[in-house]
Amino acid sequence: MTPVPDRPAYLRIADALREGIRDGSLPQGTRLPTMTELCAAHGVSEIVVRQAMGLLRGEGLIETRRGGGTVVRVMPPARRVAMERYRAVTRPLAVPETTFTRDQRISWEEYRLDREFTRVRADADIGALFELPTGTELLRRRFVFHARGEPQQISVNYLPWDLVGETPVSDPAREPWPGGTLAQLTYLGHPPTRVEESVRARMPTPDEAETLRMTGGVPVLAITRRMLAGAGVMEVCRDIVLPADRVILDYSIDL
């Protein structure tokens, strides 16, 4: 049997630190050993340690602070509480918020939304989700959601053009809109009465991984959503894309 060659030293150092971060022995905010200490502990040069630190930095696990050394990044996972998140933003808003800002527990000032609006025609899949004919005109909106300067979520949603065309909802300059899509549909006179979501796990596309600054090997959760007002489908979102290592999906079911 051919012996397995030893892993390079920088990978072994990165493995040890990564394991400590994931098992909690190196909690978020913890200052890591200095370069000199890591070199002595592992019997390697600074170049090797820098390679290991660069790998962990690229994975988003650590950050270097001016005057504060290198620390484990503080990244509390967002909690996406399925049963309550939509009800919350339908109530009167004391401060501007959306379901995303609530999930991330951030203020309006810590929220940024990149957007791209285009007018398209429904393909067979989107048409079926809307229960409309293929070719129906739609407004397609692609959003990248940022919390505290970091990209955390992508969503691509569709609205019937005959509902939103030539209204403020079709104007990208009006984004972000307090209350999000729920509030927009209510503004248009069609407050949603039902939200349907289906969740699947998959690997990110190259564009998604780059946009969300994801490390290799991490899957995403892809959520397809429909918002209905009565029997009519007002919005289809395919997909809401979330890095699986940054979010917890919470469900509660009353019996």
Side-chain angles (χ1 to χ4, degrees):
M1 182 175 179
T2 304
V4 178
D6 289 339
R7 283 168 65 75
Y10 81 95
L11 291 179
R12 287 188 277 108
I13 296 169
D15 289 345
L17 292 171
R18 188 187 298 107
E19 183 177 353
I21 292 169
R22 289 180 174 168
D23 69 17
S25 58
L26 290 172
Q28 295 184 20
T30 299
R31 183 169 178 171
L32 296 182
T34 65
M35 186 77 64
T36 301
E37 290 168 339
L38 287 170
C39 289
H42 296 277
V44 297
S45 68
E46 282 196 10
I47 292 176
V48 174
V49 173
R50 289 185 192 279
Q51 284 181 296
M53 302 298 264
L55 185 62
L56 296 176
R57 192 174 293 109
E59 294 175 9
L61 295 176
I62 64 173
E63 62 183 349
T64 301
R65 298 173 179 172
R66 182 174 298 178
T70 300
V71 301
V72 179
R73 283 187 68 193
V74 177
M75 293 190 301
R79 301 192 74 94
R80 198 172 190 276
V81 185
M83 301 300 290
E84 296 296 328
R85 65 194 307 271
Y86 294 113
R87 292 194 189 109
V89 296
T90 60
R91 302 167 186 147
L93 300 178
V95 294
E97 62 179 20
T98 66
T99 51
F100 176 78
T101 62
R102 289 179 61 86
D103 290 345
Q104 295 285 334
R105 300 186 293 277
I106 58 173
S107 69
W108 197 249
E109 290 70 29
E110 295 173 304
Y111 172 40
R112 191 181 98 224
L113 186 66
D114 297 340
R115 58 269 193 189
E116 177 186 296
F117 285 32
T118 51
R119 190 171 174 177
V120 301
R121 291 188 179 275
D123 62 19
D125 290 340
I126 294 294
L129 287 167
F130 268 111
E131 302 172 15
L132 291 172
T134 299
T136 299
E137 282 198 296
L138 305 170
L139 174 65
R140 178 187 186 271
R141 308 187 299 179
R142 181 181 185 272
F143 296 117
V144 180
F145 298 76
H146 298 254
R148 303 182 186 92
E150 295 292 327
Q152 299 293 347
Q153 175 180 313
I154 300 169
S155 75
V156 179
N157 85 337
Y158 298 85
L159 299 159
W161 185 257
D162 63 5
L163 173 67
V164 301
E166 311 307 326
T167 74
V169 175
S170 66
D171 181 3
R174 299 293 293 267
E175 296 288 351
W177 187 301
T181 302
L182 276 168
Q184 291 173 333
L185 292 173
T186 300
Y187 165 82
L188 294 170
H190 298 276
T193 55
R194 179 179 174 84
V195 178
E196 300 172 348
E197 291 188 345
S198 62
V199 184
R200 62 191 174 100
R202 61 171 171 79
M203 298 308 295
T205 66
D207 176 66
E208 289 168 346
E210 181 180 1
T211 298
L212 294 171
R213 301 176 191 169
M214 296 176 63
T215 184
V218 176
V220 294
L221 299 177
I223 302 171
T224 296
R225 180 183 72 198
R226 300 201 312 170
M227 287 190 180
L228 295 84
V233 182
M234 298 292 108
E235 182 248 20
V236 167
C237 197
R238 196 189 67 178
D239 289 320
I240 300 167
V241 178
L242 303 155
D245 60 348
R246 301 184 203 171
V247 66
I248 296 171
L249 301 185
D250 281 339
Y251 294 89
S252 61
I253 301 173
D254 292 325
L255 301 180

